């Protein structure tokens, strides 16, 4: 079964727009942070990603906005890998206010597992997603 | 024909991530700004939107990332309304580096034209997109 | 004694710049969030601030940057009111990595307690800081 | 005489907060961009900074907020180097709405000219500010 990541976020003053609700790119900031946290939970922490010169650029991202969070609202991002390729993978995120069982947004990110040839800024080449991550996050056996 | 908006953006240091390239939510920040600019070009400036208590919340946004901008790159967002409903509309954006004819990203935003019942923070109700905007941006006659 | 607020922040990918360290305006985002959290802890939550149409605009902010946080670092913002005027107050923040007893930054924000005349966007007038806040946060008796 | 840089910014929807005015860390984003632009105007473009592995971390930043910009306002950041050390320098910024001769904010940034030992993420060592920059930006002769 797919392992689920959970990331807590309380909507700050600066995450909101003049309508008093969440400025929509904030959802993408949260989804990005949630994916890095999910990968960290599978053993690839920020420090290890840096040391092994790995990164995971985006191919596509999309989000449906169902209900608006307001300044101060406690939110949760629930994330799991919903599609496993050899190098590419898709993370599906649900952002909700748990206490009220209210779903705010549902999004997806498609990414590619990559390594820098010579550190940040140098060209990237795709690599197979590490077996350790597949196992930790419940990829189906091949 | 659909009127096209053009918004210039030079990629700043703070718009980038540790990979040295654009942090992807930045594209959504730009698309949001481009849509507000497009609507302003059709007569609904920020000041008028505020005075008439209009806004245009998102229903959905999506983006394909084709090529990465690097710190300092001059970018352009080209935007037009690609679908006209009664209250809802879709804006299609192409983000490119003009000098190199390089497309960085292609995105869409689906929005609803709304009015606050009693100012920012109060409930929203959808309204028909103003005729002035439809005419200025080249909506097909009904 | 002054009550101290503590806000946890893990440095995200998007909070960093191409040097791989914190993009410095992020510290101000954190200080802003820390001040709102401090005031919330004294009874003036986001919802109450909104209901009573209170806000607290900045007069000045400053920060010394002592050491850089890197992507993934767990940080803490410790905040207290260091100066109490009738309407104005100064919040002093220390941002640190607790486990290593490493101070990253020290900042101050000077703000004024205000009320909107007719809701967000309308003119502001300063008001005395509520007694409830002074008591909760340890203002000296007058 | 000190050369002055000028950077244009129109306040976007996402740069504002629920009060409908500029979210204050936005001023620091602008000052940071203005300093990079000033240095670029003196020959050290983003591409050259990257190629020569130079950067200019902050030691301190401060800002007085005098008047609030509102969504849609056209702003200008005027910047010059107000103090020259061997490696350190201070940039003074004035942010204003030119048409109305209204000053929004006045800020300073103190920075150190540095080079990475082995590229982004590696340790930094300070270096003398290049003579080319001093000359272009009007540093007094020594």
């Amino acid at each position: 079964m797919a392992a689920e990541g959970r990331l807590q976020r309380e909507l700050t003053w600066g995450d909101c727009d003049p309508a008093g609700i969440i400025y929509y790119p904030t959802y993408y900031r949260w989804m990005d942070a949630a994916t890095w946290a999910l990968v960290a939970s599978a053993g690839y922490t920020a420090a290890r990603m840096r040391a092994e010169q790995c990164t995971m650029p985006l191919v596509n991202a999309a989000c449906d906005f169902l209900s608006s969070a307001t300044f101060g609202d406690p939110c949760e991002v629930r994330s799991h890998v919903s599609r496993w390729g050899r190098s590419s993978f898709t993370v599906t995120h649900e952002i909700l206010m748990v206490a009220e069982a209210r779903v705010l947004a549902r999004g997806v990110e498609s990414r590619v597992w990559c390594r820098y040839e010579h550190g940040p800024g140098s060209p990237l080449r795709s690599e197979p997603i590490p077996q350790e991550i597949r196992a930790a996050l419940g990829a189906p056996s091949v």
Side-chain angles (χ1 to χ4, degrees), chain A residues 74-120:
Chain A
C75 302
E76 186 173 288
V77 187
R78 295 185 180 174
S79 311
H80 70 280
V81 178
S82 52
R83 188 188 59 81
W84 292 95
R86 182 181 161 279
S87 299
S88 71
F89 60 106
T90 300
V91 186
T92 293
H93 304 276
E94 191 171 67
I95 303 170
L96 65 170
M97 293 180 62
V98 177
E100 312 179 18
R102 182 151 68 95
V103 179
L104 302 171
R106 284 197 185 92
V108 290
E109 294 179 311
S110 295
R111 295 175 177 257
V112 179
W113 191 265
C114 287
R115 199 181 288 263
Y116 297 107
E117 287 184 11
H118 330 281

Side-chain angles (χ1 to χ4, degrees), chain A residues 26-87:
Chain A
T26 305
Y27 284 124
Y28 290 97
R29 294 183 70 92
W30 290 359
M31 291 194 281
D32 186 68
T35 295
W36 283 95
L38 188 66
V39 164
S41 77
Y44 278 75
T45 60
R48 184 171 174 191
M49 292 291 281
R50 201 158 44 230
E52 303 193 7
Q53 310 214 322
C54 296
T55 190
M56 39 178 187
L58 273 283
V59 173
N60 171 271
C63 195
D64 291 316
F65 308 104
L66 307 170
S67 174
S68 294
T70 304
F71 169 45
D73 284 346
C75 302
E76 186 173 288
V77 187
R78 295 185 180 174
S79 311
H80 70 280
V81 178
S82 52
R83 188 188 59 81
W84 292 95
R86 182 181 161 279
S87 299

